[in-house]
Amino acid sequence: MDKIDIKICAEIHNGLTAPERGNQNYLFLSPVDEKYAPGYLTVIKRPMDLGTLKKNLDRDVYASRHEFYSDCQLIFENALLYNKDIPDNKFVLDPARSMMRAFEKLRKAAERKAARLSGGTVKADSASGSNSSTTGKKKISIKVKRKKSTTDISKADEPPKKKPKLKLKMSSDKSFSKSLSNAQKVEDLPMTLSRRAQCYKIYNSLKRRRPTECRWFLKPVTDPMIVRDYKEKIKSPMDLGTISQKLDKNKYNTVGEFVDDLRLVASNCLIYNTTINDSFRPVAVDFLTTTEELCRYFILKHEAPKKPYRSILYCWVECMKVIDEAIKLTNPDDGHQTAWFFLHPVNYFCGGQWPDGYLDKIEKPIDLGCVVKNLILGVYDSVDEFVRDCKLVTENCRKAYAGDASNASMVDKATRLQMMMEKHLNQLVIFDKSDKGTKAREKASKTMTMKRPDKEFLKGILKELRAATYTDKVAKITESATLHFDKPVDTTIFTDYTKYVDTPMDLETIAKKIDQGVYVTAEDFEYDVSLVFKNCERYNLPKKNVHMLTIGKHTAKLFRKMFAEKMAAV
């Protein structure tokens, strides 16, 4: 670069690191330590930060100012890429976007200045991409989907063999403290037709086995009395209806995404319902217990030895009991819940803003809600990690308000809560290292057993279904409810059928599979019968064939009720 280019680049760097941008640029001044951002280097192939950028500029690494621009953009693109799928990571995403805008403003001003100094005209907008003189560096496109990750930011591109060092302050409350070791074991298995079938079996079986619990999670929270408060506390809402729609529309890219959504249903319920002895909490625990058992059977068993999703701690129920004890603690003076201000992020209680100076004192903001989410989504690899974050919740409060007389009551609450939790956390650690803990770990790794369904039992259900009728409400005509579903669809007549339906199924084929002993579980049979009616909907909905859609929905509902009753009886 010539002197003009070097001067322009130095001015841009000075603008990005200026003190007035201290609230945004502090995240990007130094390389990121993987201890705080596990798996960063597996996502970000070319780290960069403002410190490394300055070193490269001083060492005359860049052949042109456009190469410098490319690295500037890379700093903030990396942060957006690593954190983009973590909705709660606004403490990283917002500064990254703000710094990106600041860079673009500085770059355009620099290009105008370069045009004046060189006596020519330069289009500022053309400078954002690297030109032909660059050394093959590619601009990262933020299209990678990254499931539940950790905190985030920029990283160094300096000597690739050196481990980056972290000198930033992050809010891990909005992130997941996932260890690199576990992240390396998990494989993002693509959602194939056979895997999607297994997910449907989990979904259908869960609704049938836990009807009382599932009825609370079938639809999004829309109660006008709580919906506003709910959205402020729950940043990633999820319900079984939405999961079903995502399966139908093939919205899941990996098996892990499906499992995370199921877990999110329970996690959201536990994070929001935090009153003392709240009746929804055991409902969520029972729901999650069955979910984990079904996922192990229908996914882990079939994918072994691959690990398609993150494992939840073997003693997660015991961990939840610690959180429940914290929720029950009350103040001696007014009887109010002691843990109230520790159940959600500090900025929730401050109008969405962090208190002045809070992030300067606290390296890892965290609350009990974040701990619950990390626990249920499989972020913690060990009991020690769970214990560490639980302790950090109260330690942060004591550290942030130490010596502040106006917040003495908050410090007192934190002290009482810490003393109570210490007792239960110590017991949890002892359990984890004991023989009982070892046995519990072994038990948790075992897969549930399912009895192979009797052929005659399945034939009886199929016979009863075939005998069902449907009466048109308008024409008052009664016909067989399964007439159109009994045999394979004739594709010589319905020539476009396979464009809409990827896995054809009919009752005659199901009867043959029963005779051949194909069905290993009742869920396998249930899936195939349900598939018949789903295929009906997939083909007829775009064509607006109301009559076929109505018959399909009617018969599907009959089957679900019939199958649930028959299974409950055995």
Side-chain angles (χ1 to χ4, degrees):
M1 291 194 297
D2 58 26
K3 292 183 178 180
I4 293 178
D5 281 353
I6 293 174
K7 183 178 180 180
I8 287 174
C9 292
E11 287 178 357
I12 291 176
H13 184 272
N14 291 338
L16 294 175
T17 57
E20 57 264 30
R21 289 198 173 93
N23 290 334
Q24 288 85 35
N25 64 27
Y26 75 98
L27 293 171
F28 312 102
L29 296 174
S30 304
V32 173
D33 191 337
E34 277 204 321
K35 182 174 72 172
Y36 294 95
Y40 189 89
L41 292 178
T42 63
V43 181
I44 304 303
K45 304 305 179 184
R46 188 169 179 273
M48 181 55 60
D49 63 278
L50 292 171
T52 300
L53 189 74
K54 183 65 167 62
K55 291 178 183 178
N56 290 347
L57 187 61
D58 292 341
R59 295 171 184 172
D60 201 25
V61 171
Y62 301 114
S64 70
R65 68 176 182 272
H66 301 294
E67 288 189 26
F68 174 86
Y69 294 161
S70 180
D71 272 4
C72 273
Q73 285 182 307
L74 187 60
I75 296 171
F76 313 116
E77 287 175 345
N78 284 350
L80 294 171
L81 173 60
Y82 186 74
N83 295 276
K84 72 182 290 290
D85 286 326
I86 310 176
D88 291 341
N89 255 14
K90 290 185 67 177
F91 80 103
V92 175
L93 296 173
D94 287 350
R97 294 186 185 109
S98 177
M99 289 296 290
M100 182 75 85
R101 290 192 295 269
F103 162 69
E104 282 300 315
K105 187 175 181 180
L106 290 167
R107 180 187 62 76
K108 290 178 181 179
E111 287 300 299
R112 289 194 293 269
K113 183 175 182 179
R116 289 196 303 271
L117 293 175
S118 61
T121 59
V122 178
K123 289 185 179 181
D125 290 335
S126 68
S128 59
S130 54
N131 62 11
S132 59
S133 65
T134 59
T135 57
K137 298 175 182 176
K138 294 182 180 180
K139 187 174 179 180
I140 292 180
S141 176
I142 307 175
K143 291 183 180 179
V144 178
K145 290 207 169 185
R146 182 74 177 165
K147 243 324 202 177
K148 322 263 174 277
S149 261
T150 39
T151 49
D152 116 71
I153 343 191
S154 67
K155 262 195 166 182
D157 183 66
E158 254 284 338
K161 293 184 180 180
K162 288 187 179 179
K163 290 184 178 180
K165 297 179 180 179
L166 182 77
K167 291 184 180 177
L168 356 141
K169 296 187 176 180
M170 303 178 273
S171 174
S172 249
D173 134 59
K174 324 199 173 329
S175 63
F176 303 136
S177 311
K178 189 85 188 74
S179 76
L180 181 58
S181 61
N182 196 34
Q184 289 175 333
K185 295 176 186 176
V186 175
E187 298 184 46
D188 289 332
L189 301 182
M191 184 65 85
T192 60
L193 285 176
S194 60
R195 287 173 180 148
R196 186 164 55 142
Q198 296 302 98
C199 293
Y200 270 121
K201 292 172 189 177
I202 292 171
Y203 177 83
N204 292 333
S205 184
L206 182 61
K207 288 181 65 177
R208 176 170 53 79
R209 291 167 183 264
R210 290 290 183 183
T212 303
E213 289 83 355
C214 288
R215 70 188 180 94
W216 296 107
F217 308 127
L218 292 176
K219 298 179 181 180
V221 174
T222 56
D223 186 342
M225 299 292 290
I226 66 169
V227 67
R228 181 176 179 180
D229 181 56
Y230 187 85
K231 289 182 178 180
E232 288 179 354
K233 292 178 179 177
I234 305 300
K235 302 303 181 184
S236 304
M238 186 52 59
D239 61 275
L240 293 176
T242 300
I243 291 173
S244 177
Q245 290 175 11
K246 291 175 74 172
L247 278 173
D248 291 342
K249 296 177 181 179
N250 201 19
K251 294 292 185 179
Y252 289 113
N253 295 307
T254 67
V255 176
E257 291 179 8
F258 168 76
V259 176
D260 280 348
D261 272 0
L262 280 178
R263 289 173 169 177
L264 201 57
V265 173
S267 170
N268 289 345
C269 178
L270 290 166
I271 292 172
Y272 185 75
N273 297 287
T274 53
T275 56
I276 297 174
N277 297 321
D278 196 300
S279 59
F280 281 108
R281 297 184 69 79
V283 169
V285 170
D286 290 343
F287 171 87
L288 185 58
T289 299
T290 304
T291 297
E292 292 300 309
E293 290 175 347
L294 292 171
C295 287
R296 280 197 296 272
Y297 186 90
F298 287 105
I299 296 179
L300 282 184
K301 182 180 178 181
H302 289 261
E303 301 292 349
K306 296 176 181 177
K307 186 177 180 182
Y309 59 86
R310 296 174 296 191
S311 298
I312 193 170
L313 279 183
Y314 76 97
C315 58
W316 69 270
V317 176
E318 300 303 318
C319 294
M320 281 306 308
K321 289 179 182 178
V322 175
I323 303 296
D324 288 341
E325 290 300 320
I327 289 174
K328 292 177 184 177
L329 187 65
T330 57
N331 300 327
D333 52 349
D334 56 19
H336 292 163
Q337 197 175 32
T338 303
W340 170 250
F341 290 104
F342 305 93
L343 295 172
H344 305 287
V346 172
N347 59 350
Y348 167 78
F349 299 99
C350 301
Q353 301 295 321
W354 293 99
D356 291 341
Y358 187 88
L359 295 180
D360 294 328
K361 298 177 182 178
I362 306 303
E363 293 185 358
K364 182 183 175 182
I366 194 167
D367 58 274
L368 292 178
C370 178
V371 172
V372 169
K373 191 171 185 179
N374 286 350
L375 173 66
I376 292 177
L377 293 187
V379 172
Y380 297 129
D381 290 330
S382 67
V383 170
D384 289 339
E385 291 182 11
F386 169 76
V387 171
R388 177 202 62 203
D389 275 2
C390 282
K391 291 181 177 179
L392 193 59
V393 172
T394 52
E395 288 173 1
N396 282 351
C397 178
R398 291 159 61 87
K399 183 177 180 180
Y401 302 124
D404 184 353
S406 62
N407 282 302
S409 62
M410 280 297 298
V411 174
D412 180 58
K413 289 181 176 65
T415 302
R416 293 186 65 253
L417 187 61
Q418 185 175 29
M419 290 175 63
M420 187 282 298
M421 291 186 70
E422 282 277 2
K423 175 184 175 182
H424 296 283
L425 291 173
N426 289 339
Q427 291 175 352
L428 184 63
V429 171
I430 293 171
F431 170 79
D432 180 51
K433 301 182 185 305
S434 68
D435 292 338
K436 288 184 178 181
T438 302
K439 291 179 181 178
R441 195 178 288 107
E442 293 173 354
K443 182 179 179 181
S445 64
K446 293 181 179 179
T447 304
M448 67 187 298
T449 56
M450 290 191 183
K451 183 180 178 181
R452 179 184 285 269
D454 182 72
K455 289 183 181 180
E456 295 304 317
F457 173 72
L458 298 182
K459 286 180 180 179
I461 295 176
L462 196 59
K463 182 179 179 180
E464 189 174 337
L465 182 63
R466 280 172 158 170
T469 59
Y470 167 75
T471 301
D472 188 288
K473 292 182 179 180
V474 178
K476 305 300 181 182
I477 298 175
T478 300
E479 60 181 306
S480 169
T482 59
L483 176 66
H484 303 284
F485 311 116
D486 200 55
K487 296 184 181 298
V489 173
D490 189 344
T491 54
T492 61
I493 299 175
F494 302 96
T495 55
D496 60 345
Y497 188 74
T498 54
K499 292 181 181 179
Y500 296 90
V501 176
D502 48 38
T503 310
M505 186 55 60
D506 59 275
L507 300 183
E508 187 177 83
T509 300
I510 292 171
K512 291 178 181 178
K513 292 175 77 171
I514 293 174
D515 289 333
Q516 294 166 1
V518 172
Y519 296 119
V520 178
T521 68
E523 280 76 8
D524 296 335
F525 169 77
E526 180 186 21
Y527 169 73
D528 272 1
V529 177
S530 299
L531 183 61
V532 173
F533 308 116
K534 281 191 175 293
N535 287 347
C536 172
E537 184 177 355
R538 286 169 183 157
Y539 183 72
N540 290 287
L541 187 60
K543 299 175 181 297
K544 299 181 180 179
N545 190 338
V546 178
H547 181 65
M548 282 301 301
L549 287 170
T550 306
I551 293 178
K553 290 180 179 179
H554 168 79
T555 315
K557 186 176 180 180
L558 277 179
F559 169 71
R560 286 195 300 269
K561 182 179 179 181
M562 179 194 307
F563 187 71
E565 290 175 350
K566 298 288 186 182
M567 289 299 294
V570 298

